[in-house]
Amino acid sequence: MGRREAIGAAALELVSEGGSHALTHRRIDRRLGLPEGTTSNYARNRRALVRMAIDEVAALADIRGGNPPLPSTVDEAVAQLVPALETTIERGVDTRARMSLSLDYVDDEELHTLLTTESPVRVKLLGEVARMLSSLGVPEPDQRAIDFIGVMNGLLFDRLAGNGVRGSRVDAAHVLRAWLIGIGARQ
Protein backbone atom coordinates (compact mmCIF):
# COMPACT_ATOMS: atom_id res chain seq x y z
CA MET A 1 0.00 0.00 0.00
CA GLY A 2 1.38 3.37 -0.99
CA ARG A 3 1.42 6.40 1.27
CA ARG A 4 -1.62 8.02 -0.42
CA GLU A 5 -3.66 4.84 0.08
CA ALA A 6 -2.48 4.55 3.68
CA ILE A 7 -3.56 8.13 4.34
CA GLY A 8 -6.95 7.43 2.74
CA ALA A 9 -7.39 4.30 4.85
CA ALA A 10 -6.40 6.17 8.03
CA ALA A 11 -8.86 8.96 7.15
CA LEU A 12 -11.60 6.37 6.78
CA GLU A 13 -10.74 4.78 10.13
CA LEU A 14 -10.75 8.11 11.95
CA VAL A 15 -14.16 9.06 10.55
CA SER A 16 -15.50 5.62 11.38
CA GLU A 17 -14.30 5.90 14.97
CA GLY A 18 -15.20 9.51 15.73
CA GLY A 19 -17.15 11.14 12.91
CA SER A 20 -15.80 13.68 10.48
CA HIS A 21 -14.75 16.04 13.27
CA ALA A 22 -12.11 13.42 14.23
CA LEU A 23 -10.49 13.77 10.80
CA THR A 24 -7.41 15.99 10.96
CA HIS A 25 -4.04 16.04 9.24
CA ARG A 26 -2.27 15.76 12.59
CA ARG A 27 -4.28 12.69 13.67
CA ILE A 28 -3.49 10.91 10.42
CA ASP A 29 0.21 11.72 10.78
CA ARG A 30 0.15 10.35 14.34
CA ARG A 31 -1.82 7.23 13.40
CA LEU A 32 0.60 6.38 10.63
CA GLY A 33 3.73 7.43 12.53
CA LEU A 34 4.54 10.06 9.91
CA PRO A 35 6.43 13.27 10.53
CA GLU A 36 4.01 16.08 11.36
CA GLY A 37 2.84 17.83 8.21
CA THR A 38 3.28 14.82 5.91
CA THR A 39 -0.45 14.36 5.31
CA SER A 40 -0.68 18.01 4.21
CA ASN A 41 1.53 17.14 1.24
CA TYR A 42 -1.17 14.75 0.02
CA ALA A 43 -4.30 16.63 1.10
CA ARG A 44 -3.85 20.37 1.42
CA ASN A 45 -7.06 20.99 3.36
CA ARG A 46 -9.83 19.26 5.26
CA ARG A 47 -12.01 18.95 2.16
CA ALA A 48 -9.21 17.07 0.40
CA LEU A 49 -8.99 14.72 3.41
CA VAL A 50 -12.72 14.06 3.18
CA ARG A 51 -12.34 13.35 -0.55
CA MET A 52 -9.60 10.82 0.26
CA ALA A 53 -11.92 9.09 2.72
CA ILE A 54 -14.73 9.07 0.13
CA ASP A 55 -12.37 7.56 -2.46
CA GLU A 56 -11.39 4.86 0.02
CA VAL A 57 -15.08 4.01 0.65
CA ALA A 58 -15.58 3.61 -3.09
CA ALA A 59 -12.73 1.12 -3.33
CA LEU A 60 -14.35 -1.32 -0.87
CA ALA A 61 -17.87 -1.90 -2.28
CA ASP A 62 -19.13 -5.42 -2.97
CA ILE A 63 -22.79 -6.45 -2.70
CA ARG A 64 -22.76 -10.20 -3.37
CA GLY A 65 -19.24 -11.17 -2.28
CA GLY A 66 -16.93 -11.77 -5.22
CA ASN A 67 -18.51 -12.72 -8.52
CA PRO A 68 -20.92 -15.62 -7.88
CA PRO A 69 -23.32 -16.71 -10.62
CA LEU A 70 -26.52 -14.73 -10.74
CA PRO A 71 -29.23 -16.31 -8.60
CA SER A 72 -32.39 -17.69 -10.20
CA THR A 73 -34.49 -18.02 -7.03
CA VAL A 74 -35.13 -16.02 -3.87
CA ASP A 75 -33.35 -18.65 -1.76
CA GLU A 76 -30.24 -18.47 -3.97
CA ALA A 77 -30.27 -14.67 -3.77
CA VAL A 78 -30.63 -14.64 0.02
CA ALA A 79 -27.82 -17.23 0.27
CA GLN A 80 -25.53 -14.75 -1.53
CA LEU A 81 -26.79 -11.52 0.03
CA VAL A 82 -26.69 -12.43 3.72
CA PRO A 83 -22.98 -13.43 3.74
CA ALA A 84 -22.13 -10.29 1.72
CA LEU A 85 -24.06 -8.21 4.28
CA GLU A 86 -22.22 -9.92 7.14
CA THR A 87 -18.86 -9.29 5.45
CA THR A 88 -19.74 -5.61 5.08
CA ILE A 89 -20.75 -5.48 8.75
CA GLU A 90 -17.54 -7.22 9.84
CA ARG A 91 -15.50 -4.77 7.78
CA GLY A 92 -17.71 -1.98 9.14
CA VAL A 93 -15.22 0.86 8.87
CA ASP A 94 -16.18 1.99 5.37
CA THR A 95 -19.94 1.80 5.98
CA ARG A 96 -19.80 3.66 9.30
CA ALA A 97 -17.59 6.30 7.70
CA ARG A 98 -19.96 6.62 4.71
CA MET A 99 -22.94 7.02 7.03
CA SER A 100 -21.14 9.56 9.20
CA LEU A 101 -19.88 11.60 6.26
CA SER A 102 -23.29 11.49 4.57
CA LEU A 103 -24.89 13.01 7.66
CA ASP A 104 -22.10 15.52 8.32
CA TYR A 105 -22.00 16.74 4.71
CA VAL A 106 -25.71 16.61 3.83
CA ASP A 107 -25.64 20.38 3.16
CA ASP A 108 -22.53 20.18 0.95
CA GLU A 109 -24.01 19.22 -2.42
CA GLU A 110 -20.73 18.13 -4.01
CA LEU A 111 -19.48 15.89 -1.20
CA HIS A 112 -22.91 14.53 -0.31
CA THR A 113 -23.53 13.65 -3.96
CA LEU A 114 -20.21 11.79 -4.09
CA LEU A 115 -21.32 9.79 -1.05
CA THR A 116 -24.85 9.11 -2.31
CA THR A 117 -26.39 9.59 -5.76
CA GLU A 118 -23.14 9.77 -7.74
CA SER A 119 -21.05 7.57 -5.53
CA PRO A 120 -18.94 5.09 -7.51
CA VAL A 121 -20.07 2.55 -4.91
CA ARG A 122 -23.74 3.24 -5.59
CA VAL A 123 -23.29 3.15 -9.38
CA LYS A 124 -21.51 -0.21 -9.14
CA LEU A 125 -24.05 -1.65 -6.70
CA LEU A 126 -27.08 -0.45 -8.65
CA GLY A 127 -25.79 -2.22 -11.74
CA GLU A 128 -25.07 -5.45 -9.86
CA VAL A 129 -28.41 -5.39 -8.07
CA ALA A 130 -30.37 -4.63 -11.25
CA ARG A 131 -28.73 -7.64 -12.95
CA MET A 132 -29.49 -9.83 -9.93
CA LEU A 133 -33.13 -8.70 -9.79
CA SER A 134 -33.51 -9.19 -13.54
CA SER A 135 -32.19 -12.75 -13.15
CA LEU A 136 -34.94 -13.26 -10.55
CA GLY A 137 -37.62 -12.07 -12.98
CA VAL A 138 -38.40 -8.89 -11.02
CA PRO A 139 -40.33 -6.28 -13.01
CA GLU A 140 -38.61 -2.88 -13.28
CA PRO A 141 -35.26 -4.13 -11.94
CA ASP A 142 -33.57 -0.72 -12.25
CA GLN A 143 -36.16 0.97 -10.02
CA ARG A 144 -36.26 -1.94 -7.58
CA ALA A 145 -32.43 -1.79 -7.38
CA ILE A 146 -32.77 1.72 -5.94
CA ASP A 147 -35.24 0.36 -3.39
CA PHE A 148 -32.91 -2.53 -2.58
CA ILE A 149 -30.05 -0.17 -1.73
CA GLY A 150 -32.39 1.54 0.75
CA VAL A 151 -33.29 -1.80 2.35
CA MET A 152 -29.63 -2.79 2.64
CA ASN A 153 -28.69 0.61 4.09
CA GLY A 154 -31.37 0.10 6.74
CA LEU A 155 -30.03 -3.35 7.61
CA LEU A 156 -26.48 -2.00 7.77
CA PHE A 157 -27.49 0.93 9.95
CA ASP A 158 -29.31 -1.36 12.37
CA ARG A 159 -26.24 -3.56 12.84
CA LEU A 160 -23.54 -0.87 12.82
CA ALA A 161 -25.20 2.01 14.65
CA GLY A 162 -28.75 1.09 15.61
CA ASN A 163 -30.53 -1.34 17.88
CA GLY A 164 -28.60 -4.30 16.46
CA VAL A 165 -25.39 -3.07 18.08
CA ARG A 166 -26.57 -3.91 21.62
CA GLY A 167 -30.15 -5.11 21.27
CA SER A 168 -31.97 -7.68 19.18
CA ARG A 169 -30.74 -7.87 15.62
CA VAL A 170 -33.00 -7.73 12.61
CA ASP A 171 -33.22 -11.09 10.83
CA ALA A 172 -31.64 -10.01 7.54
CA ALA A 173 -32.47 -13.26 5.74
CA HIS A 174 -36.14 -12.94 6.70
CA VAL A 175 -36.29 -9.26 5.64
CA LEU A 176 -34.54 -9.87 2.31
CA ARG A 177 -36.62 -12.95 1.52
CA ALA A 178 -39.89 -11.14 2.28
CA TRP A 179 -38.83 -8.08 0.30
CA LEU A 180 -37.74 -10.10 -2.74
CA ILE A 181 -41.00 -12.10 -2.72
CA GLY A 182 -42.96 -8.89 -2.29
CA ILE A 183 -41.48 -7.35 -5.44
CA GLY A 184 -42.21 -10.46 -7.49
CA ALA A 185 -38.92 -12.35 -7.48
CA ARG A 186 -39.02 -15.94 -8.72
CA GLN A 187 -39.28 -18.35 -5.80
Side-chain angles (χ1 to χ4, degrees), residues 16-161:
S16 175
E17 294 165 6
S20 67
H21 65 278
L23 181 60
T24 67
H25 292 80
R26 183 172 291 170
R27 284 185 176 150
I28 291 174
D29 288 342
R30 284 186 196 142
R31 176 159 296 206
L32 296 176
L34 299 172
E36 191 169 315
T38 301
T39 297
S40 295
N41 293 325
Y42 293 87
R44 287 282 180 210
N45 55 41
R46 180 175 182 68
R47 187 176 194 80
L49 279 179
V50 171
R51 285 295 306 262
M52 289 180 89
I54 291 170
D55 292 344
E56 189 68 18
V57 168
L60 297 173
D62 190 8
I63 194 68
R64 292 186 304 126
N67 194 18
L70 289 170
S72 59
T73 66
V74 168
D75 286 341
E76 289 175 10
V78 171
Q80 290 178 6
L81 293 169
V82 170
L85 178 72
E86 291 299 325
T87 298
T88 302
I89 291 165
E90 287 169 17
R91 196 176 61 230
V93 169
D94 58 312
T95 304
R96 278 192 303 272
R98 178 180 57 84
M99 289 176 179
S100 179
L101 290 168
S102 295
L103 289 169
D104 290 348
Y105 288 92
V106 72
D107 293 328
D108 182 317
E109 185 176 349
E110 178 191 3
L111 293 179
H112 191 261
T113 298
L114 287 172
L115 287 157
T116 57
T117 57
E118 293 180 17
S119 162
V121 172
R122 185 177 177 88
V123 171
K124 176 183 175 186
L125 295 180
L126 284 172
E128 288 180 23
V129 172
R131 283 188 297 283
M132 178 191 71
L133 296 176
S134 183
S135 77
L136 294 170
V138 171
E140 300 177 339
D142 292 332
Q143 180 58 46
R144 296 299 70 84
I146 293 168
D147 301 342
F148 177 83
I149 298 297
V151 170
M152 290 297 278
N153 278 332
L155 292 170
L156 288 167
F157 180 85
D158 181 73
R159 288 285 298 280
L160 292 170

